[in-house]
Amino acid sequence: MSKKVIQPEDYRFVVFADEAADFSFLTRSTAKSDETIKWEDGNEYPLIKVQISSASHPFFTGEEKIIDTEGRVDRFKARAERAAKLREALGNKAKKAQKEADKKAEKSETEK
């Protein structure tokens, strides 16, 4: 019984190019491409165009966007405030109902 070959057979040098950042690099890959490019060493290699790379990604360039946490915090505080007002209103309603019940109980006791 022979071992199955699991390594890719088309592992070769490929140039990845981030055209937005005018950045490219040569590495080994199995990625397929119909385009080729002449590299700095004078050889021609398959070309893979990428939309984003370490040269253009905000994390690596230090231009990371700040997440709008203020809006979230404000919405949370507004929700908490509405809940507190509702609790207070329900508490006042319960107190009012209790007072009315007490008045009715007093009135029925005085009538006896």
Side-chain angles (χ1 to χ4, degrees):
M1 180 180 229
S2 65
K3 289 186 177 183
K4 182 180 174 184
V5 177
I6 59 172
Q7 265 56 24
E9 296 190 18
D10 59 345
Y11 197 63
R12 69 211 185 290
F13 283 102
V14 176
V15 174
F16 285 88
D18 180 355
E19 294 177 340
D22 194 30
F23 174 73
S24 55
F25 57 95
L26 178 68
T27 186
R28 293 179 57 109
S29 175
T30 60
K32 307 228 182 300
S33 175
D34 295 330
E35 297 180 68
T36 59
I37 189 171
K38 194 166 200 131
W39 190 244
E40 299 161 356
D41 63 4
N43 294 327
E44 202 164 298
Y45 298 104
L47 173 67
I48 306 290
K49 294 179 181 174
V50 294
Q51 293 179 355
I52 196 159
S53 70
S54 61
S56 61
H57 193 282
F59 179 80
F60 295 106
T61 60
E63 298 170 2
E64 214 168 354
K65 293 180 183 175
I66 297 171
I67 298 173
D68 176 13
T69 55
E70 286 183 36
R72 292 186 211 168
V73 171
D74 290 341
R75 286 193 304 269
F76 175 79
K77 286 180 179 177
R79 235 183 6 253
E81 192 175 311
R82 281 193 306 270
K85 286 180 182 176
L86 181 62
R87 256 193 315 273
E88 185 179 330
L90 290 173
N92 289 341
K93 191 175 182 180
K95 286 178 186 177
K96 188 176 181 181
Q98 184 64 40
K99 283 182 183 178
E100 288 178 15
D102 291 344
K103 282 183 185 179
K104 283 184 184 178
E106 263 183 46
K107 194 175 191 182
S108 66
E109 283 180 20
T110 56
E111 289 179 357
K112 287 183 183 180

